[in-house]
Amino acid sequence: MSIHLSVALTDAGWHPAAWRHLPDRAAPFGPRYWVALAAEAERGTLDFVTIEDSPSLQSDRLDGPDGRTDRFRGRLDASLIAALVAPHTTRLGLVPTISGTHTEPFHVATATATLDHVSSGRAGWRPQVAPRRTDADHYGRRDVPELRADGLRDGTYAGHVTDLFTELGDVVEVVRRLWDSWQDDAVIRDVATGRYLDRDRLHYVDFTGRWFAVQGPSITPRPPQGQPPVVALAHATVPYRFAAEHADVVLVTPRDADHAAELVAQVRSVEPKRETPLAIHADALVFVGDDAAERRHRLDDADGAETSSDAAILSGTPEHLADTLADWYAAGIAGFRLRPAVLPHDLTGITRGLVPELRARGLFRRAYEADTLRGLLGLPRPANRYQRRTA
Amino acid sequence: MTRQIILGAHFPGVNNTTVWSDPAAGSQIDFASFVHLARTAERGRFDFFFLAEGLRLREQRGRIHDLDVAGRPETFTVLAALAAVTEHLGLAGTLTATYNEPYEVARKLATLDHLSGGRAAWNVVTSPDAFTGANFRRGGYLDPALRYERAREFVAAARALWDSWPADPFDTSDFLRTPDAGRYAVRSTHFDIAGQFTVPRSPQHHPVVLQAGDSDGGRDLAASTADGIFSRHGEYDDAAAFAADLTSRLARYGRSRDELKILPGVSVVLADTDAEAQEKAHLIRRAQVSPQTAILLLEQVWNTDLSQYDPDGPLPAEDPDDTAPSIIQGRTRQRDDRVATARRWRDLAEARGLSIRDLIIEVTGRQAFVGTPDRVATEMIRYVEDRATDGFILVPHLTPTGLDEFVDTVVPLLQERGALRTEYEPGTLRDRLGLPPVPADRRGAA
């Protein structure tokens, strides 16, 4: 067994002052930046990279843009960054974040299936809710409550949050059905009968839920992986339930090894019976290197605030980080999505420092053992739900 | 100086004109097919690659249509991947204004423009049918009469989003110069959206906008707001008449003929002699119209089940029932008067002794340019010199090698005669197409 390791890519890095280290502020809006990051991740034989996204500008506020000019603001469409990176890589999994709240499930299904086609089986998808009124205002088709921090604590928005995740569950369900709506052998090219397709191997998905209905079939043939892995970040019971029912990998945010064991138990307690158990990975923001503590202080000084995160903040040498990961791994965490504080600095800290350290301990692969993301994650290629029914 | 020909390379689509039965026909989905066609186009110094969009599989008589190539990737995912394997080629894709939202389309186009260094283009179309809507949150929601009004407002909204970041947003000490970067508000009949857009101004500022509708509404949309029109008028006289029509429409919107590039979709058949090319064109037409496809295309006019007819026999003697609902769903209706078309076809078949299949081969989808490379190059230059068109979008019948011969034989002639670049000029797609620059500050513009 080996630890699964992935990296979360976002603008200049996860520390709010990371952009001060960019050689050029516009770099994260150009192709070379992303190609170089992905190449570095692949050099480290990582399982996958995620690419953050949101319909709205980055903000420190729950209720909309914060008007700050001293932090990185702006971003490109993550699924297109993943597509650009695909021909430049050969083994690395590519997992863009795509919101399911206002987007069309049909477009999400064809975009993710296409990413899987252009990468020959290396696509994943991190579905996310877009909860804010300012997200909804870009679409202008739905009224949602204005979110305030105190309301989030006292349960004012419990109904809104449950609805968002229930809808996201419907979106994932429809996307999965659309991925399966073409059997792998639907294209027959039978010259004798003049038929390109066997229409009996295509399937209407006929989904009708509270928020939308989708008839199908997809316009895009079944992706090479059949079902690209779905990766979900979750911090509480409602999203744990969403992940347990709909995702292949859940990203949790433990504070330490004991908390990790608690979270694993909590996720397992809401997990229904599944063919393949949900993989539980942990997120952590990382500063890697001999000077990690110093760099963290300097960045905090530049930002005027101490580093804060929804995930644990780990800073230290590769040896120190490997100790922590090994402890959490022993507590039931199968893999880690590390959030580099500064890009590309802490990414290379991972690929050239942490990865060799984990390899030396026999905890991480020395070379890629599979050429699809499912293969790297140890997930079998699933049968087609429609084929099973008609067989 | 010879007028420059604009060339687009259309990835073969999901009509019967794409021949899948040929042993040389490759995958319609494997990325390698897209790479081959795009690199061939770039080798031929084409202006852009073109990929259409699919939103629902076509059906005929209530069943999924199984005779033609089917299955498409999502357009902009493929274009972003192609940005990685090409350097200069424009990347054009179709996105409907009916089942998309301006915020997402503007974001995808601006992202592609950044990632490709200024090579993005958008072909805006409308989807009239509730049939397509069954795959989308909204279902069929739009009165067909309003679809071009929505499209016009959609394009205006996308441009407002592209205008929402200042030309030079980054500060020297802070990250941004202004907290208002990306702020926009669009209030029109079909849209009420506002907020802050996430994508800084892209290299083209406004990615190139093409329009493909041929109706009155489509032509007006192109004349009022597009940078180019993807037309279906590829025969010389027809193309010249179309150009004249567009010129007068442009004048009505205060725009000049140079502000709209007219680009018909055309097919080319090449051989060493004109006679061989004609023979080859006929063989391709036979491959495009299989016996089953002949019956199917006939059914689209007669609007009823003709599966009992012999494709090598005569046409039905009775007229179509023009009152019944259309048997075909998922594509634009091509012929408005079924009875008149049926009578014309029957007369032609009787006069020339044509079977159903021969007739369909004769009357549908004929290639625009058939001949030696010299003849084709000469003809293309004549169209553009006369301004019947500004260039062509080439639609090959084979995936992915369908443009190889054109690039190997016609392109060098066009280059010799000064009608096509031998090396790419620096700059964006917009620059290369000779489109006027976008004013740096359009905030508050219509």
Side-chain angles (χ1 to χ4, degrees):
Chain A
M1 277 296 278
S2 149
I3 286 182
H4 294 286
L5 209 55
S6 62
V7 159
L9 301 180
T10 189
D11 44 63
W14 288 80
H15 192 284
W19 63 267
R20 294 177 190 276
H21 294 270
L22 286 173
D24 167 11
R25 269 157 225 202
F29 302 108
R32 280 188 293 275
Y33 182 78
W34 297 99
V35 169
L37 293 176
E40 185 59 38
E42 189 162 79
R43 193 171 302 132
T45 64
L46 303 188
D47 291 62
F48 61 90
V49 292
T50 61
I51 302 163
E52 298 300 300
D53 203 357
S54 157
S56 297
L57 278 184
Q58 300 90 331
S59 174
D60 287 349
R61 297 169 59 126
L62 206 54
D63 55 354
D66 57 12
R68 290 185 75 150
T69 55
D70 62 338
R71 291 190 168 178
F72 195 102
R73 296 291 180 257
R75 55 169 124 234
L76 304 180
D77 180 289
S79 68
L80 297 188
I81 293 174
L84 172 92
V85 161
H88 287 283
T89 50
T90 59
R91 289 290 185 269
L92 183 70
L94 304 168
V95 184
T97 301
I98 307 173
S99 162
T101 302
H102 303 286
T103 47
E104 288 287 356
F106 193 86
H107 292 324
V108 175
T110 56
T112 46
T114 301
L115 181 61
D116 208 40
H117 284 291
V118 302
S119 66
S120 304
R122 296 183 288 124
W125 169 34
R126 191 169 84 81
Q128 179 173 262
V129 297
R132 296 181 173 91
R133 180 185 279 181
T134 47
D135 299 323
D137 287 347
H138 293 311
Y139 295 82
R141 286 171 41 192
R142 208 192 278 193
D143 279 329
V144 302
E146 193 163 337
L147 302 180
R148 294 185 191 285
D150 48 348
L152 208 57
R153 277 190 295 273
D154 68 17
T156 303
Y157 308 123
H160 177 54
V161 170
T162 305
D163 280 357
L164 284 168
F165 279 96
T166 310
E167 180 185 1
L168 191 64
D170 283 0
V171 171
V172 177
E173 171 64 21
V174 165
V175 168
R176 287 187 179 284
R177 288 191 199 180
L178 287 167
W179 285 338
D180 274 353
S181 65
W182 287 59
Q183 291 182 205
D184 295 318
D185 54 0
V187 173
I188 53 170
R189 295 183 183 240
D190 186 41
V191 177
T193 58
R195 291 180 309 148
Y196 178 81
L197 286 178
D198 179 349
R199 61 164 73 98
D200 293 336
R201 298 177 194 174
L202 295 176
H203 304 275
Y204 294 101
V205 305
D206 283 331
F207 179 90
T208 302
R210 198 176 127 197
W211 290 273
F212 54 82
V214 175
Q215 189 170 2
S218 178
I219 194 81
T220 308
R222 194 168 190 241
Q225 296 181 97
Q227 297 270 316
V230 173
V231 179
L233 174 65
H235 303 87
T237 309
V238 169
Y240 290 156
R241 242 186 217 122
F242 160 76
E245 281 169 25
H246 298 285
D248 300 286
V249 178
V250 65
L251 307 168
V252 296
T253 51
R255 290 184 298 275
D256 52 36
D258 289 344
H259 191 216
E262 272 173 48
L263 293 184
V264 169
Q266 222 178 312
V267 169
R268 293 288 178 225
S269 75
V270 297
E271 187 175 339
K273 226 176 143 49
R274 307 165 39 124
E275 265 176 51
T276 311
L278 179 65
I280 305 177
H281 293 195
D283 262 29
L285 194 165
V286 294
F287 300 82
V288 196
D290 293 338
D291 60 346
E294 264 173 71
R295 284 200 302 117
R296 181 174 168 181
H297 284 306
R298 279 204 304 273
L299 285 159
D300 286 359
D301 282 347
D303 186 54
E306 208 175 315
T307 314
S308 66
S309 175
D310 55 310
I313 301 163
L314 307 177
S315 53
T317 61
E319 297 75 27
H320 171 82
L321 292 186
D323 289 345
T324 305
L325 266 47
D327 283 351
W328 292 19
Y329 182 59
I333 297 293
F336 300 88
R337 184 180 75 142
L338 303 179
R339 307 178 184 177
V342 176
L343 287 169
H345 190 95
D346 290 295
L347 171 62
T348 48
I350 292 165
T351 51
R352 299 175 194 205
L354 177 62
V355 162
E357 181 61 30
L358 290 171
R359 283 178 182 157
R361 300 180 190 199
L363 285 172
F364 191 61
R365 69 171 67 86
R366 290 178 180 278
Y368 280 114
E369 72 279 12
D371 54 12
T372 67
L373 177 54
R374 289 191 78 92
L376 294 178
L377 291 171
L379 300 170
R381 189 176 191 273
N384 189 320
R385 72 197 63 200
Y386 297 109
Q387 196 158 359
R388 205 160 42 213
R389 201 163 61 196
T390 55
Chain B
M1 193 182 138
T2 311
R3 196 173 273 281
Q4 295 296 294
I5 295 183
I6 294 169
L7 289 178
H10 191 297
F11 190 81
V14 296
N15 300 315
N16 68 294
T17 46
T18 302
V19 174
W20 54 261
S21 55
D22 190 306
S27 170
Q28 291 284 130
I29 283 294
D30 284 354
F31 184 54
S33 292
F34 297 90
V35 173
H36 181 93
L37 189 75
R39 285 190 170 151
T40 303
E42 194 161 75
R43 181 161 66 82
R45 305 294 182 257
F46 276 47
D47 290 86
F48 60 89
F49 175 94
F50 185 96
L51 187 56
E53 176 190 44
L55 299 173
R56 180 143 186 201
L57 294 175
R58 283 157 49 195
E59 295 187 3
Q60 186 150 335
R61 289 195 281 119
R63 299 186 308 170
I64 290 169
H65 177 54
D66 60 2
L67 301 183
D68 295 345
V69 160
R72 298 176 188 262
E74 194 276 322
T75 308
F76 276 72
T77 307
V78 170
L79 295 182
L82 287 176
V85 297
T86 53
E87 240 184 289
H88 307 282
L89 190 66
L91 301 164
T94 301
L95 284 174
T96 179
T98 307
Y99 293 105
N100 281 298
E101 295 299 326
Y103 190 81
E104 288 180 355
V105 168
R107 221 169 161 253
K108 279 187 189 295
L109 263 297
T111 296
L112 179 65
D113 207 42
H114 277 292
L115 295 178
S116 65
R119 300 189 275 142
W122 168 31
N123 178 38
V124 56
V125 303
T126 62
S127 311
D129 45 352
F131 174 74
T132 306
N135 282 339
F136 294 94
R137 284 179 182 264
R138 292 191 131 172
Y141 70 100
L142 191 61
D143 181 338
L146 298 178
R147 64 187 216 260
Y148 279 108
E149 179 183 278
R150 179 177 158 100
R152 193 181 343 270
E153 291 187 359
F154 195 116
V155 174
R159 288 187 175 142
L161 287 155
W162 294 331
D163 290 337
S164 67
W165 280 66
D168 176 18
F170 302 113
D171 193 51
T172 45
S173 56
D174 265 4
F175 185 72
L176 292 178
R177 288 199 289 117
T178 159
D180 284 331
R183 192 169 298 288
Y184 75 95
V186 173
R187 295 206 163 74
S188 52
T189 311
H190 296 268
F191 303 104
D192 181 3
I193 57 176
Q196 279 182 277
F197 188 51
T198 72
V199 186
R201 186 176 293 190
S202 69
Q204 293 187 98
H205 183 174
H206 288 183
V208 171
V209 174
L210 307 176
Q211 194 288 135
D214 195 42
S215 66
D216 196 49
R219 292 182 186 201
D220 267 341
L221 176 62
S224 64
T225 199
D227 300 308
I229 183 162
F230 180 179
S231 96
R232 61 176 68 149
H233 303 281
E235 304 280 350
Y236 184 88
D237 292 342
D238 192 20
F242 182 74
D245 177 64
L246 261 298
T247 305
S248 66
R249 286 175 200 259
L250 282 161
R252 237 177 287 153
Y253 293 101
R255 301 177 75 208
S256 83
R257 173 70 182 78
D258 291 336
E259 290 176 73
L260 183 77
K261 306 303 171 189
I262 300 178
L263 304 168
V266 296
S267 293
V268 177
V269 181
L270 298 163
D272 291 340
T273 66
D274 288 337
E276 278 173 61
Q278 290 296 343
E279 173 62 15
K280 192 166 153 193
H282 184 72
L283 290 176
I284 293 169
R285 292 293 300 134
R286 279 190 77 78
Q288 289 170 328
V289 182
S290 69
Q292 296 86 351
T293 295
I295 295 295
L296 199 98
L297 292 175
L298 198 70
E299 285 181 345
Q300 289 175 9
V301 170
W302 261 260
N303 203 38
T304 188
D305 180 359
L306 300 177
S307 57
Q308 298 313 308
Y309 278 79
D310 176 3
D312 294 321
L315 275 67
E318 65 278 6
D319 281 342
D321 174 8
D322 206 23
T323 56
S326 176
I327 59 161
I328 183 166
Q329 293 200 282
R331 69 179 301 180
T332 312
R333 191 169 155 183
Q334 311 254 354
R335 292 178 188 82
D336 287 326
D337 187 342
R338 294 193 187 102
V339 176
T341 304
R343 287 182 182 158
R344 201 169 57 245
W345 285 9
R346 208 161 41 210
D347 290 349
L348 181 65
E350 276 165 19
R352 297 190 25 202
L354 301 175
S355 68
I356 288 175
R357 188 177 179 203
D358 292 337
L359 183 273
I360 295 291
I361 287 170
E362 184 66 26
V363 296
T364 64
R366 296 184 61 177
Q367 300 96 342
F369 295 98
V370 178
T372 61
D374 179 69
R375 172 186 290 278
V376 170
T378 304
E379 277 292 284
M380 285 187 153
I381 289 171
R382 178 170 76 100
Y383 274 58
V384 173
E385 282 289 310
D386 294 356
R387 301 221 72 185
T389 73
D390 293 295
F392 306 92
I393 296 176
L394 269 56
V395 188
H397 75 280
L398 270 188
T399 305
T401 55
L403 274 189
D404 294 9
E405 196 179 6
F406 181 88
V407 167
D408 291 335
T409 63
V410 180
V411 161
L413 297 176
L414 296 175
Q415 289 171 328
E416 258 171 46
R417 298 172 197 183
L420 181 67
R421 64 179 68 81
T422 52
E423 291 301 334
Y424 284 103
E425 313 83 348
T428 64
L429 175 62
R430 174 170 287 282
D431 298 332
R432 272 186 217 124
L433 293 176
L435 291 164
V438 181
D441 190 0
R442 279 187 79 257
R443 299 192 75 155

